Amino acid sequence: MRALSLALNFTRREIRNRYLGSFSGGLWALLQPLMQLAVYSFVFVYIFKAGPIFKAGAQNAVATGFVPFLVMGLWPWIAFSEAITRSTTVLPENAGLIGKVALPREVLVIASVGASLSLHLLGFIAICIAMALWGTPIQLIMLPLALLVYLQMALLVLGLGFLFSALQVFVRDLGQVLTQLMMLWQFTSPIFYPREILPEPYRDWMGFNPFSYYPEQMRALLLGSESIAPGACFAALIVALAVLALGIVVFRRLDSHFEDFL
Amino acid sequence: MSKSSAKTGLLVQAHGLGKSYPKVFHRSDRLRALLRLLAGRREVDATTVLHDINLEVWRGQSVGLIGENGAGKSTLLKLISRVLTPSAGNVKVHGRIGALLELGAGFHPEYSGRENIAMSAALYGLSSDEIRLRLPEIIEFADIGHYIDEPVKHYSSGMVVRLGFAVVAATRPDLLITDEVLAVGDESFQKKCVRWIEEYLESGGTLLLVSHSMYHIQKLCKHAIWLKSGVISAQGDVFDVTQAYLSYHERKNTTQAPQRAVVEAQGMEFHLLDVWLNDESHEMPLLLEHGDELRIRTKVHSRDGRVPVVMLGIVRADSTPVYGVSSDMDGAEVTLQSPGIYMAEVHFPALCLLPGGYTVRMHALDTEGVRLFDTIERGLTIRGSSRELGMVRLPHRWIAPNALPNAADSRAGTAP
C-alpha cells in the first residue's frame, strides 16, 4: 500500500523531473515521436520508395498507408525503448536516495517505467485521434483494447527494467551496450516493415522477438489488419509475465547488495 | 497490528548484526560478485564495518551512540532504519521509524521546500491526506520564512536540517533516529530540537541519537552505547559510558609523548625513576571514585647527589590544567633514600575531581626549582555519575531562601 502510493508519488516526480526546467515542458515528449515519424516517413516513402514494396509483400498489413502503419509500430517502440534505457540507469542515478532513505527500491524502477510509458501513451492516443480526424480509417472503438495490449507491454518493460537496472549496478557498461542493442532490436522488429516481406526463415524467427507482437497487435486492433492468432496472444502474455517474474527474482536477489556496489 | 505490540515493549532487536562491504578493486571483481550473488552465495572477500552487534531498544528508552569516526555508528543506524541490509545477523524493528540520517537525504535540490516536504513525508509513510493536514505545522516548525517556496538547492545547510527535522517531527515516529545532523543547525534551532526531543521522550517516544557532543548525549539520553571499530565496547548508563569514552579518547591523544620524555631523560642531572599512584606503578590509568584518597609517590635519581625539587600537576586529559604544586612551594621535604636516590610522597585525602579522565604529571626540577629535567605522566580516571559541570567540586552549601532575611531588606540595610 505504502509502496503503491510511493510509486505514484515518484512517478509524478519523475515526470516533472524530466521536464522541469526544459523549455518546452512536457510538450517535447509528444513532439519527439512526431519528429521521428516525419523523418522515417520521409526516408521510407520518398527516398526508398518503400510503399509499393510493402504493398506488394503484404497487401493487408499496409492497406491504410505507410504513415498509420508506422505510427502503430513507432509509438509503442519509442515508449518501450525509452522506458527500458531510462530505467536501466535509475539506480545509480538515485544512489543518493538509496544510501540514505529507506524505501523499496522497486519503486524507482516502477516510477521510471511508469513515467515513460504514460507520457508516450498520451502521445499515442493523441495521434490516433488526430489521424482519425484526418480521415484515416482508424477503429477508435478498439482503443480500450489497445490500451490492454499496452498494459501487457508494460509488464514486459517492467520485467526488463528490473532485470537491467539490477545488473547495471554491477556492470556499468550495460547502459551503453543497451543503447546499441536497442537500435538493432528496433530494426529487427516489425516497426518499419511488416513481417510478411521478410524471406521465409527470417519471418519465423521474428516470433522469438518478444516485441514483435505489440506493433502487429496494434495494427490488427486499430487498423484492422490481419488479426493475430489467439495462440500468439497467449504466448506473448506468457512471455511478458515470465520476463517480469525473472526481473523481480533477479532484482530481489541483488537488492540487498545495491548499496555496496553503487 | 504491529502498533499494539510496539506500544508495550521491544522496539528494536538486533541479533548478531554485522555489515561488511565487498572489496571491489578491479572491473572483474564486480562481475564475479554479480555472478556469486546471482548464484545465491554470500560475498567472501569483504571489509567488516560492524561485527556481531547485539542490541535491544525498548519503548521509551533514549540511547546515545558514541564512538570515533569510522566506528560504525552511522552504519548501525542505517541498518536499524533499513537503509542498508545486514550482511550477518538480523535486526527487527516494531513501529514507525523517523530517521534523520544525512543532511538533506531524500530532498530533491530542484524542488521547493514545500514540495520536498510532501515527498519526504511520503517517504516516511504519511498518506497524502496526513501530509496536507500537517503541512502548516511542518512549515511553522522549520521556520525558514519565504525560503519554503524556494528550491532546496538555494538553502543553507542549516535550513535543510530545519526542514528535515520538521518533517520527521511531524511524522511522530515510534523511534526517532538522528545522526549528528543537529550540529548543523544554529543555536536557537538546536534548542528547539532538543526541547522537542525532550517533550517527545516525555510522551513516551524512543530515541537513538548519534552525536559527538557529549553534552547532547548526556542531556537527552539515559543509555549509551560505545562503538569501537565495529563492535560494542561498552553499553549501559549514559554517564558511565560517556566517561569511559572520554577518558579513552583524551588519553589516546596524549599517550605518545611521555614515553619519549622518559627515554630522553636518561643521563640527565635529575631523572624520575618511577611514579606510584596509590602504590600502583604500572602504566594503566588508575580508577578512583569521586572523593577517594590519592597517594602519589615518586623516586628521583640525582646525578650529582643534589636535592631535586619535585613538582606535580593534575591536568584534565585534554591538557586543561587543574592543579599544580611543587615540593619547594609547600616547603616539603624530599628525602634521601640511598645515595643519589630521593623519594617524595604527597597525599590528597579526599580528591574533589569530578568524574572524567585526568593525567597526573610528575616533574623533576633542579635544586632551585627552575629547570625542568624530567616528566612522567600517569592516567587517572574518576568514576561517578555526577551531573555537576567543570573539573572539581568546590565546597559549597545551598541555603533555603526563606531562611534568609528578605533580599530587598538586606540590600537596603547594607547599602549605606
Side-chain angles (χ1 to χ4, degrees), chain B residues 166-216:
Chain B
V167 174
V168 169
T171 62
R172 291 266 153 195
D174 294 312
L175 173 65
L176 176 67
I177 295 181
T178 80
D179 187 354
E180 196 56 271
V181 285
L182 290 188
V184 186
D186 60 26
E187 194 73 9
S188 71
F189 189 73
Q190 276 191 27
K191 276 188 187 146
K192 195 171 177 175
C193 291
V194 167
R195 207 162 45 234
W196 186 89
I197 292 176
E198 279 173 341
E199 276 170 23
Y200 163 81
L201 287 174
E202 271 165 29
S203 63
T206 314
L207 174 72
L208 203 51
L209 172 77
V210 163
S211 182
H212 290 290
S213 151
M214 292 305 128
Y215 168 77
H216 276 153

Side-chain angles (χ1 to χ4, degrees), chain A residues 2 9-10 13 16-17 20 97-102 105 169-172 253-254 256-257 259-261, chain B residues 19 21-22 24 30-31 33-34 37-38 78 81 83-85 101-102 105-106 108 111 115 119 122-123:
Chain A
R2 174 182 169 238
N9 254 313
F10 267 88
R13 165 155 130 167
R16 291 202 44 202
N17 275 2
L20 195 76
L97 217 50
I98 287 171
K100 289 169 190 162
V101 180
R105 283 79 179 254
V169 173
F170 296 85
V171 187
R172 290 294 169 84
R253 182 158 282 188
L254 300 178
S256 54
H257 301 275
E259 73 265 5
D260 300 349
F261 288 89
Chain B
K19 178 73 190 172
Y21 288 101
V24 181
R30 301 181 77 93
L31 201 60
L34 170 66
L37 291 175
L38 280 177
K78 284 183 175 181
S81 53
V83 171
L84 297 182
T85 327
L101 291 178
E102 248 165 275
H108 194 290
Y111 289 158
E115 289 163 317
M119 193 66 216
L123 274 175

Side-chain angles (χ1 to χ4, degrees), chain B residues 1-12 57-60 93-96 174-175 204 206:
Chain B
M1 52 286 113
S2 70
K3 262 293 198 245
S4 60
S5 70
K7 278 274 178 288
T8 48
L10 210 51
L11 267 189
V12 181
V57 179
W58 296 79
R59 176 166 283 272
V93 179
H94 315 278
R96 180 144 79 180
D174 294 312
L175 173 65
T206 314

